[in-house]
Amino acid sequence: MLRRVLQLGLGRGLPTRGLSTRREGSTLDWDGKVSEIKKKFQSILPGGAWNPLYDTSHLPPEHSDVVIVGGGVLGLSVAYWLKKLEKRRGAIRVLVVERDHTYLQASTALSIGGIRQQFSLPENIQLSLFSANFLRNINVCLGLWVRKASLCTQEYLAVVDAPPLDLQFNPLGYLLLASEKGAATMESNVKVQRQEGAKVCLMSPEQLQNKFPWINTEGVALASYGMENEGWFDPWCLLQGLRRKVQSMGVLFCQGEVTRFISSSNRMKTSSGKEVTLKRIYEVHVKMDHSLEYQPVECAIVINAAGAWSGHVAELAGIGKGPPGTLQGTRLPVEPRKRYVYVWHCPQGPGLEAPLVTDMSGTYFRREGLGNNYLGGLSPTEEEEPDPGNLEVDYDFFQDKMWPSLAQRVPAFETLKVRSAWAGYYDYNTFDQNGVVGPHPLVANMYFATGFSGHGLQQAPGVGRAVAEMVLEGHFQTIDLSPFLFSRFYLGEKVQENVII
């Protein structure tokens, strides 16, 4: 059914016609009115060019096969793979709607840019392996991903006559520390990681001290260290590279906010005799920035990649509005959670070989550049969750919660000096802190790419491909992400990830 709907939507895009905004006469002085009238007359004289009175270039098209809500890396990755995998060039019209064209508050731009394969779930490991392969070869010809291998048959983000992207990938790995209590779990995780093709080694406290003498190994029973395809990169570069690429592929962009969905509905009975209502979105209302103006966009598919605000977007489509305990009443459990990133200076701190370190306390840090600067953070407890209504930084949180564990693990950090800090949002999945990928069971043409709770950036290339495969083919092909489907929230089936950072 979904494929049929998509087929009906493909290729039906009509020429863009914007909505004009009326300007009341009281806001124009008499000279202004005369000037406008003169311009209008001149435009219809022989040889005169038509100059529209109102610029409508900022409006989205009236028709698009796919509307992607959210222009961060996840939304752009979906757009990229939809165009990359389409059967006929230019067959699919894709519109990306992003409300913040500056990305000042976007999770992508405020991320620390880490990438790791040190997860416990095979699906998360596979996603990060796919993405590492994508990022390391972003400017060259690379091929279709075959499990743990690739064939040189296609390009990634290279654009003709454009300079190559410099992701500034630092392949220095992640170093995770475990206490005696967590050592067995770490061993089990590393076994799964190796089975999936990740190159991760286990280190005893003695080996750890020999390789990284600046670490205090007190309380450490075991460490795991990523030897390949782990480290950090420039998130802004990836965002701009994806945007540049998809624009070259014909993807349309609009600055605005999705405020409403218009849907059709049909009542059906399940095999058990229960009555359910199936919905299909056929129109998206996009409100223009700083205006009451909006544009309705007819579409066949909607991708919810709105990050921390994807729960709100789902509610606009009626998701979670039914009776409690029913599928209709099951909400998308994704909400904004504020996280701090602090930058500090320490001349005697770890050297250039330092990986991204995650302590048993949850505190993490990495180097930033060559000037003895470091950045890091710590997720608060449920009781300590800060107000997500603003992005103000709490410096006391660093002083009281982070600095003691940093100084204990790296004695040189006792003399560190905090230089700056920022706050950003996690698209936090309150159910199990893992991504939501694929279609909604009742709003059949809304697909999700959200809820990754802090690891969406590093997995965006693989997630984007997975969503595109589901839209175009009706099933996952490259990586089976069935455990991440929306239906698990109704069924109460948590996807348990042991390595949450």
Side-chain angles (χ1 to χ4, degrees):
M1 183 186 294
L2 294 181
R3 293 182 64 185
R4 177 61 177 159
V5 171
L6 183 58
Q7 289 164 358
L8 290 173
L10 299 184
R12 291 174 55 192
L14 299 179
T16 303
R17 296 200 309 273
L19 298 177
S20 61
T21 305
R22 292 190 59 189
R23 298 178 66 183
E24 299 297 333
S26 59
T27 63
L28 295 173
D29 59 25
W30 176 248
D31 291 337
K33 286 182 180 180
V34 172
S35 176
E36 298 246 5
I37 293 170
K38 284 182 178 180
K39 288 180 182 178
K40 202 165 186 180
F41 271 107
Q42 288 172 353
S43 68
I44 60 175
L45 291 175
W50 168 245
N51 294 313
L53 210 55
Y54 306 111
D55 179 19
T56 60
S57 61
H58 65 293
L59 295 174
E62 291 184 340
H63 301 265
S64 183
D65 301 312
V66 180
V67 174
I68 299 176
V69 186
V73 288
L74 279 165
L76 294 178
S77 178
V78 175
Y80 168 80
W81 285 110
L82 283 171
K83 299 299 289 182
K84 196 72 177 174
L85 300 178
E86 62 183 353
K87 303 297 184 187
R88 178 170 56 87
R89 186 177 178 85
I92 307 174
R93 195 175 202 187
V94 179
L95 170 68
V96 175
V97 180
E98 170 56 48
R99 66 180 186 175
D100 178 17
H101 73 287
T102 65
Y103 293 99
L104 287 176
Q105 295 189 356
S107 300
T108 298
L110 298 173
S111 167
I112 68 162
I115 181 168
R116 60 187 167 102
Q117 285 81 56
Q118 294 187 63
F119 291 93
S120 63
L121 290 172
E123 293 81 9
N124 279 332
I125 299 166
Q126 291 170 30
L127 280 172
S128 287
L129 281 168
F130 181 96
S131 296
N133 191 63
F134 186 96
L135 296 177
R136 289 181 68 93
N137 299 281
I138 208 164
N139 292 307
V140 299
C141 233
L142 240 249
L144 296 174
W145 173 267
V146 180
R147 189 175 172 87
K148 302 173 190 174
S150 59
L151 304 171
C152 188
T153 58
Q154 67 175 359
E155 65 180 14
Y156 281 161
L157 299 192
V159 174
V160 176
D161 296 330
L165 297 173
D166 181 12
L167 280 180
Q168 301 180 42
F169 181 51
N170 292 270
L172 296 174
Y174 269 61
L175 178 66
L176 275 59
L177 308 180
S179 64
E180 193 70 43
K181 183 179 179 181
T185 300
M186 176 173 281
E187 282 190 84
S188 176
N189 293 342
V190 170
K191 182 179 179 181
V192 176
Q193 293 156 15
R194 289 172 175 171
Q195 288 172 346
E196 296 301 325
K199 295 185 178 180
V200 182
C201 72
L202 290 168
M203 303 172 70
S204 67
E206 294 74 26
Q207 291 170 320
L208 183 62
Q209 184 71 64
N210 289 335
K211 186 168 181 63
F212 304 113
W214 39 266
I215 278 188
N216 173 17
T217 60
E218 181 183 351
V220 178
L222 194 63
S224 61
Y225 177 51
M227 299 180 291
E228 189 175 294
N229 291 327
E230 288 195 343
W232 57 92
F233 62 93
D234 181 357
W236 182 253
C237 182
L238 177 61
L239 176 72
Q240 294 303 312
L242 273 167
R243 190 177 173 100
R244 182 183 74 176
K245 180 64 176 182
V246 299
Q247 283 181 311
S248 76
M249 301 168 90
V251 171
L252 304 174
F253 284 84
C254 170
Q255 180 189 348
E257 181 179 1
V258 171
T259 57
R260 189 182 181 193
F261 296 108
I262 308 297
S263 308
S264 61
S265 60
N266 290 303
R267 288 187 171 275
M268 293 183 61
K269 284 191 175 182
T270 66
S271 56
S272 61
K274 291 184 178 180
E275 195 174 75
V276 297
T277 301
L278 293 180
K279 288 186 176 182
R280 185 170 300 280
I281 298 167
Y282 64 85
E283 191 172 273
V284 179
H285 287 187
V286 181
K287 179 180 172 295
M288 301 299 102
D289 196 28
H290 306 301
S291 171
L292 296 178
E293 178 183 45
Y294 75 89
Q295 171 83 319
V297 182
E298 292 182 10
C299 63
I301 297 292
V302 174
I303 310 294
N304 186 345
W309 294 271
S310 55
H312 170 67
V313 171
E315 288 179 1
L316 292 176
I319 293 171
K321 297 292 189 178
T326 66
L327 185 55
Q328 298 98 310
T330 302
R331 57 185 286 272
L332 177 68
V334 178
E335 62 184 38
R337 292 284 180 95
K338 184 163 73 171
R339 295 293 181 263
Y340 306 121
V341 177
Y342 301 91
V343 180
W344 62 89
H345 182 68
C346 184
Q348 287 77 43
L352 296 177
E353 84 292 349
L356 193 154
V357 180
T358 300
D359 189 48
M360 295 95 75
S361 63
T363 301
Y364 66 85
F365 71 89
R366 67 164 175 84
R367 284 188 65 96
E368 174 65 4
L370 303 177
N372 296 311
N373 293 318
Y374 304 82
L375 60 78
L378 170 68
S379 292
T381 64
E382 286 290 328
E383 296 74 26
E384 297 168 339
E385 280 291 346
D387 177 13
N390 60 67
L391 286 180
E392 295 177 1
V393 174
D394 180 0
Y395 284 89
D396 289 339
F397 184 80
F398 180 90
Q399 187 71 22
D400 299 337
K401 302 295 182 179
M402 277 189 64
W403 182 61
S405 59
L406 284 170
Q408 193 276 333
R409 188 59 57 209
V410 182
F413 282 161
E414 289 184 4
T415 59
L416 65 79
K417 291 185 178 180
V418 176
R419 288 198 159 173
S420 62
W422 71 83
Y425 290 115
Y426 272 11
D427 54 337
Y428 193 81
N429 176 355
T430 60
F431 184 74
D432 60 14
Q433 292 81 65
N434 274 298
V436 190
V437 184
H440 188 271
L442 297 181
V443 184
N445 62 337
M446 174 173 276
Y447 293 75
F448 300 105
T450 186
F452 286 88
S453 308
H455 54 269
L457 171 69
Q458 63 182 290
Q459 296 183 342
V463 172
R465 178 157 189 148
V467 174
E469 289 171 350
M470 181 62 81
V471 169
L472 297 173
E473 303 296 336
H475 61 277
F476 298 121
Q477 292 180 315
T478 307
I479 302 173
D480 184 6
L481 297 183
S482 298
F484 294 161
L485 290 171
F486 180 95
S487 56
R488 76 184 192 270
F489 305 133
Y490 170 65
L491 298 172
E493 298 175 350
K494 290 188 177 183
V495 184
Q496 197 63 51
E497 171 59 61
N498 295 326
V499 190
I500 300 290
I501 299 177

